[in-house]
Amino acid sequence: MPFWNNLLTHDTPTRGLCHTEKDGDGQDKCKGCNGVQRLFKIKKEWELQGNSKFPAKPETLHSSFLELADCAKKCVTCRIFHRALLLNQVTYRDATSLESDASHEVYAKLVEENGMIALRIDVETFGSTDWSAIVQCSDSKSVMTSKLPANAYSPDIEAQLGKWLHNCVESHWTCNAYSWSSDRNPTRLLHILSDTQVQLIESPQGHENKLKYTALSYCWGKGCTCIKTGCKCPKPEEKTGAYDELNDEDKRVIRAGKTTRGNIFSRYGGFSSSGLPATIRDAIVLTRRLQLEYIWIDSICIIQEDEDDFRKEAIKMQEAYGNAIFTICASSSFKATDSLLQERKAWSYDVRPCRFGNQWLSNTDMTFAEMQARSPLCARAWTLQEERLSPRIMFWAGQQMFWSCPEIQSNEMNLSHTSAKSAHSDTTNSPQSFLKSCTRGSEDAQHKAWQTIVESYSARRLTKPGDRFPALSGLATRYLEANKNNSDEYIAGLWRQTFQEDLGWSVFRPAARDAFPALQNMTPSWSWASLPGGTATKVKHNYENTPHFSLLKVEANSSAKFTNPIAGGAEVKSIWVRGRMREFLAKGSMSRRWDEVIRNKEGQEGYSFDDHIERAGWSSDLQAGLVVTYEPRRDVVISRLDYRQDFDRLQGGELQIRCLEISKSAMLLLERLNGSNYRRVGISHKYWPRFFDGTLPVDVRLW
C-alpha cells in the first residue's frame, strides 16, 4: 500500500502544535488542526484511487488536554474539540481530572457515525472510552452551535428549568396523573426560609394542604457515616482513591448534616444550611431559585439511625418521590460533599461555525442513556426507585441539565422537545417507563417492567445488607397497587401471580458467597435478592408453564404482624413447593476437563462428549460460570451455578445437586440441607424435553 505508507506512516511531531495561522475563512487554526484537516484530503484521494473503506488512522492533535485547552483560546476548531471532550464528562470530578491531564496525547481520526463521516477525538488513556468524543461533520453550514452559560448561578439556568416545569405542569395533563396521590405530603419536609436558613417541619396532610416540594436523589458516598457505634455497616475496605470514597472530613460533614433524635427538636425551630453537605446545600439553592419553599431530603427528613422511623418512612418512597413537583437527580456528584453549582467548563469558550474544507464541524448531543450510564447514581441501589418513582426529573449533569417527564425528554443543548417514546432507543429503560406500565400497561407489560427493575437493581451497589428490600419497597408498592385487582402477593422480591417465572433468574457470572454473607442469612436462596449487591442478573427468559409445579405455602421467619404487605413480603424466608425432582448427575458420570468438551465453530460455542458417547459425563468452568452434563444419546444440559465456591465443592464431590422442574424451560439446581429442606445453588434453562420423565412430584421446602 504505497499510497497509504507515503501519506500516513509519518510520526507527527507534537512540538509547536499550538502555532496558529489564518485559514481561508479568516479564522485561526493551529498546526495540530491542520494535520487533522489533512485526513479529509487523504480520504478523498484514497477514494479517487478506487479504494473502499478508509483506514481509521489517528492523527496527533495535541500533546495533552492541557495543551488543547490552552490552544482553544485562539484556535476555533480546538474549541470544538475541547468542548466535545468536556461534554462527555457527566461529573465534575471527571472533568477536573481531564482538565489537569498533561501526560496523554490527544488524537483525532475519521470514523463513520450513523452512516455519516465524523471525527473521533481520543485522549490516549489505554483504552478508556471516558475521554473520547464524536464531532459531527456536515457539508451544511447550518450546524448546531449551542451557547450555554458556564456559570452555574446564571439566571438562564433557572429560567430554562422553570420553563420545563411550567410547560409540564400546565400543558401535560397526562404527567400529573403519574403522581402517587393528590392529598399526601411526606411526613416531614425541609422548609426553605432564606438563602441560609431552613426549618424542618411536620407536613400537614389532606388535599387542601398539598405542598409543592422538590425531592433530592444523590449519592452519599462510600464509607460508614453512622453516628452510633456498633453499626452493621461492612468493615471499611482498603483505600483506593476512588472519587466516591469518603475521607474523615466528608464523614464529619455528612454526620453533622443528619437529623437525629438528638437534634430534631432544635431543627423544628430552624437552623443554618451552611453546615449541610454541598450537594444538599446546592439542591436547596436550586429549589429556592424556582420560588419553591420545600424540599425532601432523606438524611434530613428521616430520623437517622432510628430503626422505628426508618421502618415507617422507608416504605413511603412512592409518596416522597411520587408526589414531588420534580426530583433533582445529582448526576454530577460522587458523594454528598461534592458541590453541584460549579463552573461548567465546556462552555468556557464561544464556539463559532468552522470547517475543514467543505465539512462543517459541530458538537454532538449526549443521549439520556449515555448520561445516565456515566452518572454515579446508576451504581447506587437506592437511587433506582428515587428515579423510577418520580413523574418529573431534572438531571443535573456536570455540563448541562436534562429534563424528563412522561411526555418529553430534553436538555439544554437540544431544546426541541423530543417525545418520550422517540428519545430512547430502549423505552423500557426511560426514567418514567415503570410508572407508565403501572398506570396504563397490561399485566404482561407491568411484569416486564418489574423484570427490568430487578435486572437494574441487582447490578447496583448497596452499603448495608439490611437495605436490600427497603431500597426497593416503593417500587414494589407501586407495582402491587397496579395489580391489586388480581390479588397479587409480594414474596421476597418475587410475585405470586408470576412466581414460577420469577424463580427462573440467573447470574451472568457467579458471585462470591462471602461478599455479603449477611444477605444469605436474611434472604432466601431462591430469591435474586440473596445475591451480593452489584451482581448482574438476568430475569427475562423464555417461559412456558408446567402443570407439575405449584407453590403450596409461604412462610415468614418472624412472629411480627405486618399491616404493610410489602414489609411483610420482605420477611418471607421459606416456601413449600411441589414439583418433579431428579438427580443432576447421572449415575457413574465422569468428570471431564473443560477444554475436552468445548467446541468452537464459526464463532459459535458448543459442547460435545462425542469421544465417550456411551458414558455419562460432566464438566464445569468457573470463568464461564457453567456446568455442562451429558447422558448417553441425549443432548447436553447447560446449567449455571450462582456462586464461585460451589464450583470447587462440585469438583471435590462435596456438593450433591438435585434438579427441580419449575417450568417447561427451567429447573432449579438444589442442595439438600436435611429432610425435605433445600437451598438453591443454580439454574438451568437448557435441557432436553423429557428430562423429568418417570419422576413424580414431591413436596419440598426451599430456604
Side-chain angles (χ1 to χ4, degrees), residues 43 47 53 110-119 134-139 359 364:
K43 181 178 183 298
E47 292 170 347
K53 188 175 178 65
L110 285 175
V111 296
E112 196 171 282
E113 188 79 5
N114 299 320
M116 304 289 288
I117 196 70
L119 278 169
I134 294 294
V135 172
Q136 292 178 328
C137 302
S138 171
D139 56 9
Q359 294 293 311
T364 58

Side-chain angles (χ1 to χ4, degrees), residues 13 38 40 48 58 110 161 175 264 269 316 332 387 397 404 471 477 508 516 533 585 596 602 661 689 701:
R38 291 177 64 251
F40 291 88
L48 286 174
L110 285 175
L161 180 54
C175 291
I264 188 169
K316 297 179 182 178
S332 64
E387 174 191 295
S404 179
T477 299
F508 285 95
F516 250 138
L585 297 179
E596 291 178 336
E602 298 178 354
E661 180 187 28
R701 190 186 201 185

Side-chain angles (χ1 to χ4, degrees), residues 196-197 221 249 260 304 344 352 433 517 622:
T196 58
Q197 288 294 118
E249 177 61 13
T260 65
Q304 298 299 298
R344 309 193 301 180
R352 301 188 298 274
S433 60
L622 174 60

